[in-house]
Amino acid sequence: KNRLIPKDGPTLRRPDMQSSLYKLQKELDYFFELFEKHAELKTANPFFGYLDYEMNIQLLYKYAIHHLKQFGLA
């Protein structure tokens, strides 16, 4: 159970996979641009506290692999 996610799961924000992948790519581009300009930046994560660039990369990798396996894509 995750206290930050509704009992029935989050509502879908994109109408299809293609638009979801487009939005993901835009967010990843922004992430890399931001850390390129501000290498010292730390982001706040509700579960893991403040994360620097390397910790964010590790979290994103593990998160992506987890969900790709969850849906049989990895």
Side-chain angles (χ1 to χ4, degrees):
K1 293 182 181 180
N2 181 329
R3 61 183 170 81
L4 299 177
I5 297 177
K7 189 176 182 178
D8 297 329
T11 57
L12 296 178
R13 292 185 248 171
R14 304 279 175 260
D16 55 45
M17 181 66 81
Q18 191 61 35
S19 61
S20 295
L21 290 173
Y22 176 80
K23 177 65 175 169
L24 174 61
Q25 185 63 58
K26 298 289 277 178
E27 292 295 328
L28 287 171
D29 292 344
Y30 175 72
F31 169 85
F32 288 112
E33 289 172 15
L34 189 63
F35 273 99
E36 189 174 302
K37 292 177 184 173
H38 306 281
E40 75 291 347
L41 181 68
K42 291 191 177 185
T43 61
N45 181 285
F47 297 106
F48 305 114
Y50 288 93
L51 306 177
D52 65 12
Y53 175 78
E54 290 299 325
M55 290 186 278
N56 270 290
I57 292 294
Q58 289 180 17
L59 178 61
L60 288 170
Y61 174 81
K62 291 177 181 184
Y63 184 80
I65 294 300
H66 165 76
H67 285 292
L68 289 170
K69 287 179 180 178
Q70 179 183 13
F71 297 108
L73 301 170

